[in-house]
Amino acid sequence: MSKDLSAAAITKGLKTRKIGRKVFYLPRVTSTMDIARSEAIKGAAEGTVVIAGEQTGGRGRLKRSWLAPEGNIALSIILYPDIESLPYLIMIASLAVVKIIESVTGLKAGIKWPNDILINGKKVCGVLIENEVRGNKVTYSIVGIGINVDLKVADHAEIATTATSLKDESGKDDLRIKIIRSLLTEFERLYLKLPDGKAIYEAWRNNLITLGKNVRVESGNQTIEGVAEAADEDGALVIHGADGTVTKVVAGDVTLREK
Ligand code: BTN
């Protein structure tokens, strides 16, 4: 399979209307989020995608760094959604990743609330969404997706015990181009369903491995423990504590615990 990650190789014959009609491929950047943001400010078309061969300053949620050496997928998609559609973007990105991992590799992945995709309990993908909102109008949304593809996780001590890659799980090499093209196609299929997000929400909820588990959630300076009972359509996680309290969490870090 081709290792060619040029914009032309990504877009050739791609049957999307918006997502990936314009692709910027950059062999080495600090973060695709920054390039995408400056393209959005310059008025890039909706669906423009920025893809890096390698990121030197990739970032994740909560100001964490994101390791994205050569061989991984690091991309950002520029969108201009309605404000009502914002909660669905994380669902669309996560669902699209789960779906295409299965269709391309046959591997079963699941979504760990709020933004991790896991295979066999280990993280294979993270999603980062950065929005600029003025009043009740979204100026732009950047959906960043990082997937561990051709990475031998054991070679990277900092993620060796918590992460996995498509290569480690499937034994297959050079999946990047196929994964990217499938991802852009599936992302668009789901994105075009908006503003009606009900079906997206239901599919997302059905793929959440967090539900029904005992969890500990760090949210700001709060720690909440209990059973992750539900996930609302706005994306919030509902936790039922042992003392009967019910807490709705909109952002946080989840540790899954055995029951
Ligand atoms: C997380 O798990 O906290 C989110 C990780 C998101 C990583 C992607 S890689 C493409 C885009 N560029 C970045 O710098 N981050 C996102």
Side-chain angles (χ1 to χ4, degrees):
M1 212 172 287
S2 171
K3 287 195 180 210
D4 179 9
L5 261 201
S6 67
I10 291 163
T11 55
K12 192 170 170 222
L14 192 70
K15 290 189 182 59
T16 52
R17 280 182 9 216
K18 281 188 176 190
I19 310 293
R21 296 318 304 160
K22 172 88 186 154
V23 169
F24 291 99
Y25 171 72
L26 302 159
R28 200 160 193 260
V29 286
T30 47
S31 165
T32 56
M33 301 303 281
D34 298 333
I35 311 290
R37 189 181 55 221
S38 65
E39 290 301 325
I41 290 166
K42 284 191 262 169
E46 181 164 67
T48 298
V49 176
V50 178
I51 303 189
E54 182 186 355
Q55 285 190 132
T56 53
R59 61 175 177 270
R61 285 169 62 243
L62 310 170
K63 298 201 169 95
R64 293 186 184 128
S65 61
W66 177 261
L67 185 74
E70 173 74 41
N72 272 14
I73 291 173
L75 63 82
S76 295
I77 306 173
I78 300 170
L79 301 171
Y80 305 107
D82 296 336
I83 198 149
E84 296 75 24
S85 297
L86 284 184
Y88 298 108
L89 298 184
I90 184 72
M91 301 179 193
I92 289 173
S94 308
L95 264 179
V97 171
V98 166
K99 178 93 188 288
I100 60 103
I101 285 179
E102 184 151 11
S103 65
V104 175
T105 68
L107 294 164
K108 180 82 190 129
I111 302 166
K112 176 173 169 252
W113 189 93
N115 74 324
D116 293 350
I117 313 302
L118 308 191
I119 299 177
N120 293 323
K122 292 186 168 178
K123 181 160 172 171
V124 71
C125 168
V127 178
L128 175 68
I129 299 185
E130 294 179 348
N131 305 309
E132 190 183 277
V133 179
R134 295 210 176 136
N136 60 359
K137 243 188 115 38
V138 180
T139 318
Y140 60 78
S141 265
I142 311 292
V143 178
I145 302 176
I147 310 178
N148 299 332
V149 186
D150 293 329
L151 181 76
K152 266 181 74 189
V153 167
D155 293 344
H156 300 272
E158 60 274 51
I159 56 168
T161 56
T162 54
T164 190
S165 72
L166 298 183
K167 180 189 174 106
D168 282 351
E169 296 291 330
S170 69
K172 292 180 187 152
D173 271 321
D174 300 337
L175 291 171
R176 275 195 307 173
I177 194 91
K178 205 164 176 194
I179 291 278
I180 292 169
R181 288 166 57 89
S182 307
L183 177 61
L184 300 182
T185 307
E186 181 60 14
F187 190 99
E188 169 159 304
R189 192 184 71 78
L190 295 168
Y191 187 64
L192 292 183
K193 287 182 193 276
L194 294 177
D196 180 9
K198 187 107 188 132
I200 292 165
Y201 159 66
E202 282 167 3
W204 171 75
R205 197 187 49 194
N206 291 342
N207 281 276
L208 267 183
I209 57 171
T210 316
L211 293 185
K213 301 251 168 66
N214 268 323
V215 295
R216 190 179 63 235
V217 185
E218 312 286 344
S219 178
N221 52 13
Q222 240 195 326
T223 301
I224 305 130
E225 292 191 338
V227 176
E229 192 175 64
D232 288 349
E233 192 162 344
D234 62 5
L237 192 66
V238 180
I239 300 167
H240 201 135
D243 59 358
T245 52
V246 175
T247 315
K248 226 177 131 162
V249 188
V250 290
D253 252 348
V254 172
T255 308
L256 300 176
R257 316 169 101 196
E258 292 308 317
K259 261 195 170 172

